[in-house]
Each structure stands twice: as structure tokens, then as C-alpha cells.
């Protein structure tokens, strides 16, 4: 087994860690899809006053994300160790992507895909 990582003490430390746990584009895509679907289902659940839709929203959000970690990224979701910071970061990653700034955040965390020019 690998070395045990020291506990992260602040959200400022957590964000780059979170991004590194989402290095592969497929992992990020599944997270974004799950987060978007969860938001739609949450809104529908509130509008329809449906506890069932609210429960489905949780599964829709976490299901694709956890699948991505196990099948694509081959790591353990940070949610298991840092549940609140992970939830915040899921929404932060989605908002940053929507605003067009995710590539800058990834580069700042040392994650990048080399750009090939033709």
C-alpha cells in the first residue's frame, strides 16, 4: 500500500488536491454531467415538492462521479475523506468550467494537456 497522506488543513490546500484527483478529462466530464443533472433534479424536486426527486438528485450527482473515480481515474473519491470540501469543489469545478476558467485552474495545480499545433 502507498504512504498515508497527511490530512489537509484548509480549503486553500484542498482545491489543488481536488483538481489532481480529477486529472483525466473523462473524470471531469462525468463529474460535470452528474453535477448538472443533480442541479436540475434538485430544482425539479423543490418545484414539485417531491422528496423522491431530491433523493434521485443525490444519486445522479454522486453516481457518475464515483464511477469516474473507480473506472476512469482509478482512485478513491475525495468525498470519503473530505465530504464538505468535495461537495463545494464539485460545484466550484462546474462553475469554473462554465465561466471558461477551468484550464487556468488546472494549469495552476500543475495539470495540463500538452497542446499540439499542426
Amino acid at each position: 500500500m502507498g504512504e498515508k497522506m497527511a490530512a489537509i488543513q484548509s480549503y486553500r490546500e484542498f482545491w489543488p488536491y481536488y483538481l489532481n484527483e480529477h486529472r483525466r478529462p473523462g473524470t471531469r466530464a462525468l463529474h460535470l454531467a452528474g453535477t448538472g443533472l443533480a442541479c436540475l433534479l434538485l430544482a425539479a424536486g423543490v418545484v414539485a415538492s417531491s422528496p423522491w426527486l431530491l433523493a434521485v438528485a443525490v444519486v445522479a450527482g454522486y453516481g457518475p462521479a464515483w464511477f469516474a473515480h473507480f473506472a476512469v481515474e482509478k482512485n478513491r473519491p475525495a468525498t470519503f475523506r473530505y465530504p464538505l470540501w468535495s461537495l463545494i469543489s464539485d460545484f466550484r469545478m462546474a462553475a469554473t468550467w462554465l465561466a471558461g476558467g477551468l484550464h487556468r485552474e488546472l494549469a495552476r495545480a500543475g495539470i495540463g494537456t500538452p497542446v499540439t499545433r499542426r
Side-chain angles (χ1 to χ4, degrees), residues 48-95:
S49 297
S50 170
W52 182 83
L53 278 176
L54 298 175
V56 171
V58 172
V59 173
Y62 282 113
W66 288 1
F67 173 80
H69 282 288
F70 294 120
V72 178
E73 199 75 41
K74 310 266 193 261
N75 65 11
R76 191 167 176 238
T79 303
F80 297 158
R81 212 163 162 207
Y82 302 99
L84 181 59
W85 286 347
S86 291
L87 180 62
I88 291 167
S89 295
D90 285 345
F91 287 104
R92 180 177 178 181
M93 183 169 67

Side-chain angles (χ1 to χ4, degrees), residues 2 6 12 26 31-32 46-47 49-50 62 75 98 103 105:
R12 177 177 255 194
H31 266 70
L32 294 169
V46 168
V47 169
S49 297
S50 170
Y62 282 113
N75 65 11
L98 284 170
H103 64 285
E105 291 293 315

Side-chain angles (χ1 to χ4, degrees), residues 14 16 19 33 39 56 60 66 93 97 103 117:
F14 179 77
L19 292 174
C39 288
V56 171
W66 288 1
M93 183 169 67
W97 175 75
H103 64 285
R117 307 235 182 231

